[in-house]
Amino acid sequence: MNYLNTTNSNTVFKDIILLLVRVFIGFAMLSHGFPKLQMLLEGGKIEFFDFLGLGPTISLTLTVFAEFVCSILLILGLFTRVALGFLIFTMIIAGFVVHGADPFEKREMSLIYLSVYLVLMTFGPGNISVDYMIEKRKRASDW
C-alpha cells in the first residue's frame, strides 16, 4: 500500500505501460491514417484541408505520413521521438486549426491524442522498443 503514496516507479511496470500505450495509441491512429492513405492512393480529386498553403495533395500526403507511417514507427518504438514530433504537429493542426472553430466535441479526439503524444514524448518509448535495442547495442559497441 505504501507504493500508492510514493513518487518512485517500478521500471519494468513503466516499460510495460509505455509499450501498451504506444501500441494502443499507434493502432488507434492507424485507423484514422489508413482511410486517408486510401484516399491518397485512389488518384481521384483530393479535397483536404490545406493547412500549410501547399495544396490539398501535399497536405494529405504529410498527414498520411504522420498518421500512418509515424504510427507504425510509434508501435515499433523506432525513431519514436521523431515520429511523435510529426504526430504532435498533426494533432495541433487538427485540434486548433482544422477544428479550431468547432465545438469541443469535434476537437476532443485530437486533443486527447495530443495529450498522449506529449506524455510519450516526455517519457520516451521505454525499454521495450527498437530505439532501446539500438541504444543498448551502441553502448555495448562503445566499450
Side-chain angles (χ1 to χ4, degrees):
M1 195 64 155
N2 269 345
Y3 182 73
L4 296 176
N5 297 326
T6 182
T7 57
N8 296 333
S9 64
N10 179 327
T11 56
V12 173
F13 183 68
K14 181 183 79 171
D15 290 328
I16 291 169
I17 294 300
L18 287 170
L19 171 67
L20 292 174
V21 170
R22 275 193 358 253
V23 169
F24 175 79
I25 206 77
F27 276 113
M29 182 51 72
L30 275 176
S31 72
H32 296 278
F34 186 68
K36 291 179 180 97
L37 175 63
Q38 289 177 314
M39 182 189 329
L40 186 64
L41 297 176
E42 282 175 356
K45 184 172 190 249
I46 294 175
E47 293 182 24
F48 193 75
F49 186 80
D50 184 12
F51 60 92
L52 292 175
L54 300 172
T57 303
I58 293 175
S59 295
L60 178 60
T61 303
L62 292 171
T63 303
V64 166
F65 175 75
E67 292 184 3
F68 191 78
V69 176
C70 290
S71 291
I72 293 170
L73 294 174
L74 182 62
I75 291 166
L76 297 172
L78 178 62
F79 308 120
T80 307
R81 287 197 164 113
V82 173
L84 284 166
F86 285 101
L87 288 161
I88 287 168
F89 178 78
T90 302
M91 291 304 104
I92 288 171
I93 296 298
F96 297 108
V97 179
V98 176
H99 297 292
D102 293 341
F104 182 74
E105 297 83 36
K106 291 271 191 181
R107 300 169 22 176
E108 180 179 13
M109 189 60 70
S110 58
L111 298 178
I112 290 171
Y113 278 110
L114 175 61
S115 301
V116 174
Y117 293 150
L118 289 171
V119 168
L120 287 171
M121 181 68 91
T122 302
F123 290 102
N127 291 348
I128 308 171
S129 65
V130 176
D131 285 341
Y132 178 76
M133 290 188 290
I134 292 170
E135 183 181 328
K136 189 176 174 184
R137 181 168 276 192
K138 263 189 200 175
R139 276 189 265 144
S141 68
D142 287 343
W143 287 95

